[in-house]
Structures are given as structure tokens and as C-alpha cells.
Amino acid sequence: MTTITESATPFSARQSRSTGKTIKLWLRYVPLVLLVFFFTFPLIFMIVSSFKGTNQQIFSDLRSLRAFLPVGDLTTANYDRVFTDSNFPRYMLNSIVITAGTIGLSLLVNSMAAYALSRLRWPGQKLVLSIIIATLIIPGMATVMPMLLLVSRLPGLSFDEGLALTQGWLDTYTVQIIPFIVSAYSIFLFYQFFQDIPRDFDEAALVDGASRFQIYFRIIVPISLPVFASVAILTFISSWNSFLWPIMTVQSDELRPVMVGLQFFFQRDTNWGEVMAYTTMITIPVLIFFFIFQSAFVKSMASSGVKG
Amino acid sequence: MTTPTIVLDRAGAAPEKRRQTLTGYMMAGPAILLMLLFVISPFFAGIYYSFTNQRLISGNETEVVGLRNYQRLLALSTLTVDPEVDEASGDFVRDENGDLVFPRSRDFTRDEEAYPQYAGLREWFTVQIGNRLTYVLAGDPLFMRSLTNNFFFALVVIPVQTSLGLLLAMLVNQGLRGQSFFRTLYFAPVVTSMVVASIVWRFLYDSNNGLINEMIGALTFGLVGPINWLGNPSVAMWAIIIMSIWQGAGMQMMLFVAGLQQIPEALYEAASIDGANGWQKFRFITIPGLRGIIVFIFLTITIAAFQLFDQVLAMTNGGPDDATTTTVFHMFRNGFREQDIGYASTIAVVFFLIIVAINLIQRYVVRDREVA
């Protein structure tokens, strides 16, 4: 007996220590999993409900966990109806044009400015940098009313009946893109990232006869892709989700972005399944976009924007 | 290496400097122009409009009106009244509930001849002390209401969301397998539009069939009855707060993850050798290591909290009973719906000054701790 016990003790001790460790490891996952529920249940509800055919079904399922489960009569009819009842493809196209345009121009304009501020010496550079940092504290909402007045008076070009000068940017793509290109926050993110790139790179390239533009395009941009991804994500979120500005500046249906197009469903008897199908379709692209760029996002946030 | 090179250098130095200046202006130019046009000029134009009667669309010439908008926005006054007395008996008049009856504030604010000092003011709230009632009057009681709503929202959201963000960041930064998966899921609400989130949460908050009420009922065995989340003025702001934290916390988590990854692992190892416990490591390594980021998060979250708008427009439209009206919502109502740009700009200026003041206080508090 004693021998057995002696030989068994170390074994069972080892075993219980390792089960203890496993349990401990599993325990560390418990809060993580509970939080997943907290952060995703509204989205799961949205997606699941988009496949439920009638308002009655959605409302009666709301009383139980069935709200999160794809149970009962499931149908894709809501999705079909979104396409037949509303101008959805047009709204989607508008949002894609506006978001892509804003991201593209914003990456170019803000990163070039940050490059000039971080690596070039020119008169007024320090002043411009401090003004840009200072504007970080101006909330977008604080300037929205004067901006509305401004864009209603800016001269624009119209191609409707030959080339003509028009008054006001209201009801255009321009008004939804151009005012949102420049961002002090984006310039700041780029600037911080560029400051960490060794200057030897530039010097070496200059000796080889490269111009400053070439250094920017061929050296700085390729090694700064994480910060480009971050700015792209932040711009995507704000541009795709913008709501107040298009409500104020866009009247015609052909130029509405997806968020404003959503209002259409609340005009008559609301079919909630249809609303959920619509919101699912406009939310999934952003989620996918973020999934693709998220690791770059974390990496560049860690290396640039957050040094205070 | 002799004379010609030196000459070349001298000749090359000036053009290189000029070329750098030119390139600098060319590359920063578009951003500077756009910033002047769409950030700086609207900002200063807003300050100017706040002193005028500028309309969004108007045939009339805009006039400078001095401080009139500010007076209307910020005017505050109090008015204390005695209860009404029955002339025959000399007793206080009481209503059917036995409460004292006071003269209405309107009797004073509408009577410009007898009480010019109360002209243009309206009742904000009342305080009754003993047998006297004090009316607090404001030029724009709705703005005062918006402002207090905003402060309430900010006071809850700023600390809760910042600490939740830090907690989440620490949970997904333990080196566990699959942590980037969890991180992505916690961030999902951030990329979801506020409008979409509002529509979905309106369902969840439904007072009759709402999921949240069902869950609360189940968890408390029916003790906590159905809460009228969006219909009850004293609860509606809480509903907006919970939903906003749900939507926003992932952003602070990401920033904190980035900050945590900058703290050298060696510091924690050294602390372990010195016998520091988990709390001490958190207090003396993690928190100081995150100071810069905390300042940054306070700034961005304060601005975001005071810009509260989308969820109000989409979920409650400022109601019920103005319980969820916010400064920006009030500005939108005046500037866009009423087309009074002058007055809306005044709101914006005051709103901006409040944000600057809060930020200065936060900076002072955080810096103070650094010294201590």
C-alpha cells in the first residue's frame, strides 16, 4: 500500500496541478465569452430577424431566446423586398462612391501633409503644425452650421446642360466628400508614424538623386502601410456611417447614402424584417472591411497615435 | 574633392533649400487649404454668426445684434413668490391635494410693464422651501435642460467607458489564444453605425416585448417589472447611456491595447522579482505607463460625449419630455429646423468653450497626480 501511495502521490499531484492549470485557463475565458454575448447580441438579433418573414414572428420571438436563433419560418423574402421596394442598389452605390472617394483623397492629402510637416523644412512649418494640433479640440458638431451655410454658397460646376457655374454644393457628391478629406486626427497619426522612421533613409535616397516626392512615394508610403490602414478604417467608419450631414445637404433620392435611405422604411407600416435585412446589408461591409485591416490597425495605433 | 565640388555644393545648397520649401508647400498645400476652408473658416464664421441674426435662407440682410443671442441663451434669474392667500379668511389657498397654490411664473414673465426684468424668460424648474416657492427662470430653459442632460451623460459615460475599455484591453492582452478574435468581436459595435444600432436597440428596449425587459425579468425572477426604457423620462437617458457604452467601449479598448503593448515586459518582470502583487503592478506600472493615452482618451471621449446626437435623433427624438435633449440636438433644432444659424452658432460657441474648459480641468488633474 505504502509503495503504491508513494508512487501515486507525485503522479496525482502532477495531474491535479495540470487540471488545476487547465481549469484556471478556462476560467480566464469565462469573462471573455460573457462579454462576447454583451457586445454581439444586438447584432445577432439583427441578422437573425432579417430572415424572419413577418412582424408578428419577430415580436413574438422577442419574448425569449428565440430572438437570437434562426428558428421558425425562415425566408430570404425580406432581402428580395429591400431590392424591389427601395432604391437600395443606388444608395449602396452612392455610399461606396462617397466612402471610397473620401478614403482615397484623405489618405493622399493627409499623409502628404504629414510628410511635409515631419521631414521637410519650410517657412511656417512649425506654425502650421501647431494650428493642426490645436484644431483637434474643435468638435465637428461645433462647425456644422456655418459649414452648411458655406457649402450652400460655394461655387460649383454643373455638367447638366453643358458646362456651367452653379451656386451651392447642396445635393451633390462633392458636398459629401470634399469637406471630409482633411482631418487633423489623421495628419497627427501619420505625423507620429513618420517621426519614427529613421532619417538615414531619406539621406541615402537623396544622395542617390531621388526627389522628395520620390522618397515619399517609394520609401515612406511602403513602410507606413499600417498607419495607412488605420486612417482608412477610421475614415471608412465615419464616412460610411455619416448621417446628420447628408440629411442636411442632400435632397434628391439619387444621391442619398445608405444611412439616409434607411428612413424610407419608416414612412408607412414598417416591415421590421425588411429593415433588419437592410441594416444587415449595410453593416456587414464595414465589419468585413475591419476584419481585413484590424491587425494593421492595432499595430499602427500602438506605434503612432497614442503617445499622448 | 577639390574646388569644383565646393562650388557645386555652394551652388546646390540654395536650390536644395528652395526646392524643399517648394515641395513642402506643394505637399502640405492641399491639406492647409482644405483645413482653412472647412475647419478654420467655419469655426471663426460661427463665432461671427453668434453675434448676428444670420438665417440659413433669408431675403433680409444679416444684421449684427451684439450679445442678444448670448443673453437669450444664458440668461438666468430667480423669482421667489409667496403662496396665494384667501382674502376673506386670511388663510393660504390649498388645492384639492392640500398643496399650497402659488402664482404662476407666467404672470410675471408675460407682464413686461410691471416686471421688465423677467421679460423673455421662461420657467426652468422650481424649488419650494417651506412656504415659499422659487422659480428658476432661464432665457432658454430647453438649452439648460440639454446642458444638464449632457453633463449627466458625460459624468456617467466618461469614467464607465474608460474603465470598461481598460478592463477589456487587459482581458484581451493576457496572451491567451484567440484574443484577437475576441478583440474583433468587442470592436464590432464601434464599426456599426449609430443609426443602425439605435434601430436595433429600440427593439431590445421595447417595454412590452423587449428582450432586455425579458432578460431582466428572468434574472430577477420577475421582481423587477417591465421598465419603460424609452418612454419614462427618468429612465430614457440611462437607456441611451447603456447603448452608447455598448457602441463605443471597443474604441477605448483598442487604444488601451495599443498603449499596453508599449509598456516594456521587463518592468513587470522586475516588479515580480521584487515581490509586487497584481494590484501593485497595475497601480505602479500599468497606470503610469498609460498616462499619455489616458489623457488622449479623456479628450476624445469628452468631445464625443458632448457631441451626443445620432442616437438621440434616431431613438428618442429628444423626448420623452425633453429628457434626452442634448446640446447638439438643440443646436440642430435651432439651426436646421428653425433655420436660425445665428442662435445655433451661439450654442456651438458655448459648447466649444465648455469642452475646452473640461479638457483643461482634466489635464490639470492628470498632471497633478503625476507630480504627486
Side-chain angles (χ1 to χ4, degrees):
Chain A
M1 282 301 273
T2 29
T3 11
I4 293 167
T5 335
E6 264 172 21
S7 73
T9 314
F11 174 73
S12 72
R14 209 183 309 135
Q15 194 187 29
S16 76
R17 202 185 308 133
S18 77
T19 24
K21 253 188 190 164
T22 321
I23 290 171
K24 248 188 188 164
L25 189 68
W26 279 107
L27 279 177
R28 291 167 85 181
Y29 277 100
V30 171
L32 287 171
V33 173
L34 288 176
L35 284 162
V36 167
F37 178 74
F38 175 69
F39 281 108
T40 57
F41 80 93
L43 298 175
I44 294 171
F45 164 73
M46 172 182 86
I47 296 167
V48 166
S49 304
S50 72
F51 292 103
K52 293 179 179 170
T54 62
N55 279 355
Q56 204 201 342
Q57 194 184 351
I58 294 174
F59 280 112
S60 64
D61 282 357
L62 260 177
R63 298 186 145 273
S64 67
L65 283 179
R66 289 170 66 91
F68 301 120
L69 301 172
V71 288
D73 290 333
L74 297 180
T75 161
T76 55
N78 291 324
Y79 288 86
D80 298 337
R81 257 178 297 173
V82 166
F83 280 92
T84 54
D85 287 2
S86 82
N87 232 341
F88 179 70
R90 181 71 209 192
Y91 302 149
M92 201 70 178
L93 175 76
N94 292 339
S95 273
I96 290 170
V97 169
I98 293 160
T99 305
T102 312
I103 293 179
L105 289 166
S106 144
L107 289 177
L108 183 73
V109 167
N110 293 317
S111 70
M112 281 201 318
Y115 173 81
L117 288 166
S118 142
R119 330 273 296 178
L120 302 178
R121 296 284 159 264
W122 39 280
Q125 175 200 17
K126 291 247 164 64
L127 180 72
V128 169
L129 182 65
S130 26
I131 290 175
I132 288 173
I133 301 288
T135 63
L136 274 174
I137 203 171
I138 301 179
M141 288 292 187
T143 55
V144 71
M145 289 300 155
M147 201 139 104
L148 182 60
L149 202 62
L150 173 75
V151 296
S152 70
R153 291 169 173 183
L154 282 174
L157 291 174
S158 157
F159 301 96
D160 290 345
E161 295 155 27
L163 190 64
L165 208 60
T166 56
Q167 209 221 341
W169 282 13
L170 297 182
D171 233 7
T172 55
Y173 279 140
T174 323
V175 77
Q176 301 184 70
I177 297 175
I178 308 293
F180 304 101
I181 292 171
V182 73
S183 146
Y185 189 48
S186 304
I187 293 177
F188 181 63
L189 287 177
F190 280 121
Y191 178 82
Q192 294 274 46
F193 199 95
F194 294 163
Q195 284 292 81
D196 285 351
I197 300 173
R199 267 145 225 281
D200 310 355
F201 285 34
D202 306 43
E203 302 301 327
L206 274 179
V207 171
D208 289 347
S211 76
R212 298 282 177 173
F213 267 117
Q214 285 168 328
I215 295 172
Y216 162 74
F217 275 114
R218 303 235 174 101
I219 299 174
I220 302 293
V221 174
I223 56 179
S224 308
L225 291 180
V227 69
F228 277 84
S230 282
V231 171
I233 287 179
L234 294 172
T235 314
F236 191 108
I237 294 174
S238 68
S239 180
W240 187 263
N241 295 340
S242 76
F243 179 58
L244 174 63
W245 186 250
I247 284 185
M248 297 198 299
T249 57
V250 177
Q251 272 87 46
S252 54
D253 201 49
E254 302 85 71
L255 292 166
R256 272 188 195 141
V258 284
M259 291 306 153
V260 181
L262 188 50
Q263 286 179 324
F264 169 85
F265 294 96
F266 296 98
Q267 285 164 2
R268 296 157 291 124
D269 296 333
T270 307
N271 180 344
W272 288 105
E274 227 176 305
V275 172
M276 295 300 165
Y278 186 102
T279 52
T280 302
M281 282 193 282
I282 64 178
T283 303
I284 299 294
V286 205
L287 289 174
I288 292 172
F289 191 86
F290 176 68
F291 252 124
I292 297 170
F293 291 109
Q294 73 109 6
S295 68
F297 183 69
V298 177
K299 204 187 293 171
S300 97
M301 283 311 216
S303 59
S304 71
V306 292
K307 289 171 189 161
Chain B
M1 287 293 132
T2 48
T3 343
T5 336
I6 292 163
V7 170
L8 251 180
D9 263 352
R10 271 191 193 150
E16 158 57 18
K17 205 174 170 190
R18 220 180 308 138
R19 219 181 301 132
Q20 217 184 106
T21 302
L22 190 67
T23 319
Y25 284 136
M26 275 167 63
M27 294 184 84
I32 296 174
L33 276 180
L34 287 169
M35 191 147 251
L36 279 174
L37 192 55
F38 293 112
V39 182
I40 295 169
S41 85
F43 178 73
F44 286 107
I47 296 176
Y48 168 71
Y49 293 147
S50 74
F51 297 104
T52 69
N53 63 355
Q54 181 71 49
R55 310 280 307 171
L56 186 56
I57 303 158
S58 163
N60 298 333
E61 215 38 43
T62 304
E63 288 166 28
V64 175
V65 296
L67 290 171
R68 201 176 74 192
N69 288 326
Y70 287 91
Q71 276 162 0
R72 177 177 155 206
L73 188 70
L74 301 172
L76 274 177
S77 185
T78 56
L79 167 67
T80 305
V81 290
D82 291 317
E84 285 180 3
V85 177
D86 187 30
E87 280 176 22
S89 63
D91 289 337
F92 291 137
V93 179
R94 292 188 183 267
D95 62 11
E96 56 271 28
N97 297 326
D99 293 329
L100 295 166
V101 176
F102 292 96
R104 289 173 309 170
S105 61
R106 253 190 277 164
D107 301 341
F108 301 89
T109 56
R110 297 267 172 90
D111 190 350
E112 211 164 313
E113 276 178 21
Y115 305 100
Q117 71 269 38
Y118 299 127
L121 297 179
R122 276 172 298 153
E123 187 178 324
W124 177 17
F125 63 91
T126 58
V127 187
Q128 188 177 353
I129 301 164
N131 279 346
R132 308 197 82 195
L133 184 75
T134 300
Y135 288 109
V136 177
L137 306 171
D140 185 353
L142 210 47
F143 172 69
M144 296 299 163
R145 192 75 202 272
S146 313
L147 213 53
T148 43
N149 286 341
N150 257 135
F151 271 102
F152 177 68
F153 180 84
L155 275 177
V156 178
V157 164
I158 295 171
V160 172
Q161 200 170 318
T162 309
S163 10
L164 181 63
L166 180 57
L167 178 77
L168 292 173
M170 292 176 61
L171 283 172
V172 297
N173 203 41
Q174 306 175 79
L176 290 178
R177 194 174 290 187
Q179 61 184 16
S180 82
F181 168 75
F182 288 106
R183 202 163 63 194
T184 310
L185 289 181
Y186 301 163
F187 197 76
V190 180
V191 296
T192 306
S193 130
M194 200 43 113
V195 178
V196 170
S198 303
I199 290 169
V200 175
W201 277 78
R202 240 159 57 186
F203 264 90
L204 306 176
Y205 278 138
D206 194 282
S207 58
N208 299 317
N209 302 302
L211 250 180
I212 292 180
N213 276 338
E214 294 295 331
M215 284 195 279
I216 291 174
L219 288 173
T220 60
F221 302 102
L223 284 177
V224 178
I227 299 168
N228 190 358
W229 287 99
L230 297 175
N232 181 344
S234 55
V235 184
M237 189 48 105
W238 284 104
I240 299 235
I241 286 174
I242 294 169
M243 186 272 225
S244 305
I245 292 174
W246 169 83
Q247 203 265 351
M251 192 56 163
Q252 281 71 44
M253 172 195 72
M254 279 299 182
L255 292 168
F256 274 127
V257 165
L260 286 173
Q261 290 180 354
Q262 300 230 303
I263 301 175
E265 197 52 41
L267 286 179
Y268 290 105
E269 284 160 17
S272 298
I273 293 167
D274 291 343
N277 62 29
W279 166 252
Q280 287 168 326
K281 284 186 210 165
F282 176 74
R283 173 67 188 82
F284 295 106
I285 300 174
T286 311
I287 293 292
L290 293 175
R291 178 157 285 127
I293 232 183
I294 291 173
V295 174
F296 180 78
I297 284 178
F298 270 154
L299 171 69
T300 51
I301 210 173
T302 306
I303 293 180
F306 275 89
Q307 298 206 75
L308 175 61
F309 175 75
D310 284 359
Q311 44 287 54
V312 171
L313 186 66
M315 272 171 94
T316 60
N317 206 12
D321 219 0
D322 298 318
T324 57
T325 292
T326 64
T327 319
V328 172
F329 188 78
H330 194 53
M331 189 177 83
F332 170 74
R333 197 160 34 194
N334 280 285
F336 187 63
R337 291 194 186 150
E338 311 279 329
Q339 309 214 332
D340 190 344
I341 296 279
Y343 193 60
S345 300
T346 314
I347 299 174
V349 170
V350 172
F351 161 67
F352 172 73
L353 292 176
I354 290 171
I355 287 182
V356 172
I358 292 175
N359 187 244
L360 289 176
I361 294 168
Q362 285 169 343
R363 271 165 198 264
Y364 176 75
V365 169
V366 175
R367 190 173 44 207
D368 205 24
R369 282 208 194 121
E370 201 167 24
V371 174

